[in-house]
Amino acid sequence: RAAGGVKGSDADDAKRIKRKSDALKRRRPVRTIYDGDCGPTGQSAAEMFARRAVGTPVLVDPLDPEARFWWPGVIVDRIVEAYGGDDPLKQGQDVEQWQVRYFEDGSFSMCQAHEMRVFDPTQAPFAEWMGCKSLNILGEPAMRRALAYFEWRYYACPEHRCEPAAGSNDKPACVLQAGVNAAAQLRHIYDSEVLAAMATAVEKPEVVFDDFFAEPADDDNGSSALERGARSSRECIQPYLHAIGDVVHSVDGRDGKVYRARIELADFVDNHERRGLYYYLHYHGWNPRYDEWVPPSRIIYMDPR
């Protein structure tokens, strides 16, 4: 699974295998992205990582010196066991480990504290990887899923949501600087059936955790509240997985209408106007001066043509 050439030592290989084996025995599914002791709070990723809290996005050491980057995942459980090794100095001590689920393939493993770093796209090492064009970090689907999780968990959590009063044309008193809420904000400017039908962050009190690890299902016809929520959240997560060159339909922020466009670039933006993953779109049949950066929340669906 490592994105490198030569693997590590036999001891490292054995450690990787044991890590996966131990994780499968202890697998505990997390239902929503707000499960865990932190809940739907406004705590930052760094604050959660300091506690190694359930729901914290992390980067895990692949134990491969040739790997290009660490694996992105999420802490889903904490395990404390009595030490069972041969080191006499550790006899009688407790060993603390954390179960991590990976965005690459949905697999699990057990990790120790020194094997993890917080996943925060605004901080090192992700920010450093972004600065190295040869890595093409945004070309990795696992990193895109990690970004989707990060944005929904921290940029769109209930503590940060704010909408204008019913019937008001005013902007929200607290406008979230995040692309996940772009469609919801456009609703207050344009009366559009397309915008009304789009699932947005401000309307999602709970996002199903498993959706970040599974492809959208076309035959998902469930009728329960949780099943409807699962469909809705998958529709929001899928736009994060588009690649450069994909042809999509996007809502134009200047008139609220839908246009066919081609993705020219992808970047992670963090400034006073934009925050999150953004695509640079060229609208078919329009002058390049109308090209613009849009967040995934404004992508409607892939164009099969």
Side-chain angles (χ1 to χ4, degrees):
R1 283 171 13 93
V6 182
K7 290 187 177 181
S9 65
D10 291 341
D12 284 342
D13 287 342
K15 188 174 182 181
R16 276 195 293 267
I17 295 172
K18 185 177 187 303
R19 178 189 282 178
K20 278 192 172 184
S21 172
D22 291 346
L24 288 174
K25 296 175 184 177
R26 305 182 184 284
R27 177 174 174 175
R28 295 183 185 177
V30 180
R31 202 173 187 198
T32 79
I33 63 173
Y34 300 125
D35 285 357
D37 53 0
C38 286
T41 71
Q43 283 191 313
S44 68
E47 290 171 330
M48 290 182 64
F49 183 72
R51 301 168 55 188
R52 305 299 191 273
V54 169
T56 305
V58 294
L59 293 164
V60 177
D61 185 351
L63 304 177
D64 184 345
E66 299 297 325
R68 294 188 299 153
F69 41 76
W70 290 23
W71 299 337
V74 179
I75 294 176
V76 295
D77 199 7
R78 172 178 174 269
I79 307 297
V80 179
E81 291 182 327
Y83 176 73
D86 299 327
D87 189 341
L89 297 178
K90 295 183 180 180
Q91 295 297 330
Q93 298 181 8
D94 288 335
V95 177
E96 191 174 32
Q97 295 188 93
W98 289 266
Q99 185 185 51
V100 173
R101 188 174 186 185
Y102 296 102
F103 287 108
E104 181 180 349
D105 55 9
S107 64
F108 295 78
S109 77
M110 301 301 296
C111 305
Q112 298 179 20
H114 70 274
E115 297 172 329
M116 300 185 294
R117 295 184 67 175
V118 63
F119 176 90
D120 185 337
T122 68
Q123 306 293 329
F126 187 92
E128 295 174 350
W129 295 337
M130 281 292 297
C132 182
K133 299 302 181 183
S134 62
L135 282 179
N136 187 25
I137 193 71
L138 291 183
E140 298 292 329
M143 289 296 180
R144 297 287 193 90
R145 290 181 182 275
L147 282 175
Y149 178 86
F150 186 90
E151 290 190 30
W152 280 82
R153 181 64 180 78
Y154 300 105
Y155 294 167
C157 66
E159 291 285 323
H160 288 171
R161 295 174 187 163
C162 184
E163 291 187 282
S168 170
N169 292 324
D170 297 333
K171 290 184 177 180
C174 176
V175 178
L176 181 65
Q177 299 174 2
V180 287
N181 284 322
Q185 293 172 357
L186 288 176
R187 285 180 188 168
H188 303 301
I189 305 174
Y190 303 106
D191 182 12
S192 167
E193 292 183 3
V194 173
L195 290 170
M198 291 178 70
T200 63
V202 293
E203 298 169 344
K204 288 292 299 173
E206 292 184 338
V207 180
V208 180
F209 184 81
D210 283 344
D211 292 342
F212 290 91
F213 304 89
E215 296 295 336
D218 295 331
D219 58 350
D220 187 357
N221 297 315
S223 58
S224 71
L226 186 62
E227 289 168 332
R228 288 197 302 273
R231 292 201 305 276
S232 180
S233 57
R234 276 199 294 269
E235 290 165 4
C236 294
I237 296 162
Q238 182 65 17
Y240 284 81
L241 305 181
H242 291 307
I244 293 174
D246 282 354
V247 176
V248 298
H249 284 95
S250 172
V251 175
D252 191 322
R254 292 158 290 203
D255 61 10
K257 296 181 180 179
V258 178
Y259 295 93
R260 191 164 177 257
R262 182 180 185 273
I263 296 176
E264 302 288 341
L265 297 168
D267 197 5
F268 183 84
V269 183
D270 183 41
N271 56 42
H272 67 285
E273 292 182 350
R274 298 186 177 100
R275 178 179 290 176
L277 179 68
Y278 272 76
Y279 297 117
Y280 190 72
L281 299 185
H282 170 67
Y283 293 100
H284 287 198
W286 290 86
N287 191 291
R289 70 173 181 269
Y290 293 106
D291 294 357
E292 66 171 340
W293 287 97
V294 306
S297 59
R298 279 175 42 194
I299 301 294
I300 305 300
Y301 55 85
M302 270 295 284
D303 188 334
R305 294 173 294 177

